[in-house]
Amino acid sequence: MKVWLDGKLVDKADAAINVYDHGLLYGDGVFEGIRVYNGTIFECDAHVDRLFDGARAIRLEIPLTKAETVQAMRDTIEANKLVDGYIRLVVTRGVGMLGLSPFKCTCPQVFVIADSIQLYPAELYENGLSVIVSSTVRNHPNALNPRIKSLNYLNNILAKIEAVDAGVQEAVMLNPQGLVAEATGDNIFIVTGGELITPPLAAGTLAGITRAVVMRLAREAGIELRQTNISRYDLYTADECFLTGTAAEVIPVTTIDGRTIGTGKPGPISRQLIQAFRDYIKRNT
Ligand code: PMP
């Protein structure tokens, strides 16, 4: 595999980052995880926009234009003959001193990794995931806003550890107010009384690219959709629940903290949107 690093395509074994890079020392940087379907970068502009917005929020100047960033991804796809897979686009603060100040780091690093993707087994799309609600709350937006897809994922990793310890695949994270924010690497939706509900971005959640597509598809299908706060009780008593994300796409959830959601099988709106999302990929790649 070839990695795009600082303008060059290098072998995976040679793709190295300096130990003084603040991306490594402090998790100082931003990234995107992006799907490639049929050789096409899925929702390319939305990912690039989110990367640049996150960088702006942390005062990180990406040393490429948006067009150059897209070209770097295209070159990586081409060099690896990637047809269906995943690309990881990363911008680190670059090499600096051991102190925190990012202003001593003069050369942000950009790299692009192309790889195959680890998918959930097909069976889970038929039967649904089991998840827990983690005791680790999502970062407070005034500490590290979850809208910034930063290289510091420790908050999510701590919740993921709870999920693995509990023998399930994912954890739902609440915000500091005790309301549902998102899962460790996915956004969350519930269906209650025929209405589709997802927490607003203000609940402390990433503006997921998959979330945005699913919301659009739901509106087009005439499904009632509301962005409103949901509590743990709303999760437990929902008729349906599903997660959305680049890797998982749209995946149903049928157990939360040992409570069966709805009938225990993915419900009709979840199934409709899983199909609509698959059709959307086919139409757009
Ligand atoms: N929330 C978090 C915390 C994430 O890391 C991700 C991406 N893996 C998502 C939501 C889903 O976002 P997207 O649909 O853009 O992949």
Side-chain angles (χ1 to χ4, degrees):
M1 282 302 211
K2 294 278 188 193
V3 175
W4 191 101
L5 175 62
D6 217 9
K8 295 188 198 71
L9 284 156
V10 298
D11 285 331
K12 180 177 172 179
D14 301 323
I17 284 283
N18 191 298
V19 294
Y20 281 85
D21 192 306
H22 280 206
L24 176 63
L25 289 175
Y26 297 119
D28 187 352
V30 288
F31 78 101
E32 286 295 318
I34 309 171
R35 282 294 274 270
V36 174
Y37 295 105
N38 198 22
T40 305
I41 303 170
F42 185 65
E43 298 294 297
C44 184
D45 290 348
H47 279 289
V48 172
D49 286 347
R50 188 172 68 184
L51 182 85
F52 275 72
D53 286 345
R56 185 191 285 244
I58 65 166
R59 293 184 64 180
L60 169 61
E61 205 163 312
I62 298 178
L64 301 175
T65 62
K66 288 185 178 179
E68 288 166 343
T69 306
V70 173
Q71 194 54 50
M73 291 195 281
R74 293 217 172 104
D75 292 347
T76 314
I77 291 167
E78 166 84 30
N80 291 289
K81 307 257 174 297
L82 194 71
V83 179
D84 289 296
Y86 179 86
I87 42 184
R88 176 65 59 89
L89 168 62
V90 182
V91 186
T92 74
R93 186 75 69 174
V95 170
M97 320 282 268
L98 285 183
L100 281 178
S101 175
F103 302 114
K104 304 260 166 57
C105 309
T106 53
C107 192
Q109 288 276 304
V110 181
F111 57 88
V112 186
I113 302 171
D115 215 329
S116 55
I117 182 151
Q118 264 201 310
L119 298 170
Y120 279 126
E123 174 266 320
L124 288 179
Y125 291 85
E126 294 300 320
N127 297 316
L129 279 179
S130 292
V131 305
I132 55 159
V133 177
S134 70
S135 69
T136 306
V137 298
R138 192 76 180 97
N139 285 328
H140 192 292
N142 286 336
L144 173 55
N145 196 315
R147 292 192 65 178
I148 302 167
K149 197 163 166 61
S150 88
L151 291 180
N152 192 325
Y153 253 54
L154 211 37
N155 180 223
N156 315 59
I157 290 165
L158 292 174
K160 187 76 175 188
I161 288 171
E162 288 185 50
V164 174
D165 281 347
V168 298
Q169 296 92 338
E170 250 297 5
V172 175
M173 302 181 75
L174 306 178
N175 65 20
Q177 288 73 44
L179 298 163
V180 173
E182 58 184 340
T184 68
D186 293 302
N187 290 109
I188 187 163
F189 289 77
I190 59 170
V191 177
T192 297
E195 187 183 38
L196 184 62
I197 303 170
T198 194
L201 299 181
T205 172
L206 184 74
I209 309 293
T210 321
R211 172 184 184 272
V213 171
V214 166
M215 284 168 48
R216 224 155 58 219
L217 294 172
R219 283 197 194 98
E220 279 167 23
I223 297 167
E224 247 187 278
L225 167 68
R226 207 151 46 101
Q227 292 183 66
T228 193
N229 280 318
I230 58 182
S231 66
R232 200 165 177 159
Y233 172 85
D234 298 324
L235 286 183
Y236 293 161
T237 57
D239 300 322
E240 301 182 34
C241 178
F242 60 83
L243 306 181
T244 63
T246 289
E249 299 175 341
V250 182
I251 187 154
V253 171
T254 44
T255 315
I256 305 177
D257 285 341
R259 278 84 168 168
T260 300
I261 302 307
T263 62
K265 283 278 180 192
I269 292 181
S270 306
R271 282 189 278 113
Q272 183 182 351
L273 288 170
I274 289 169
Q275 192 53 49
F277 189 75
R278 288 178 179 162
D279 294 343
Y280 178 86
I281 293 167
K282 281 206 197 95
R283 281 200 307 280
N284 289 280
T285 58

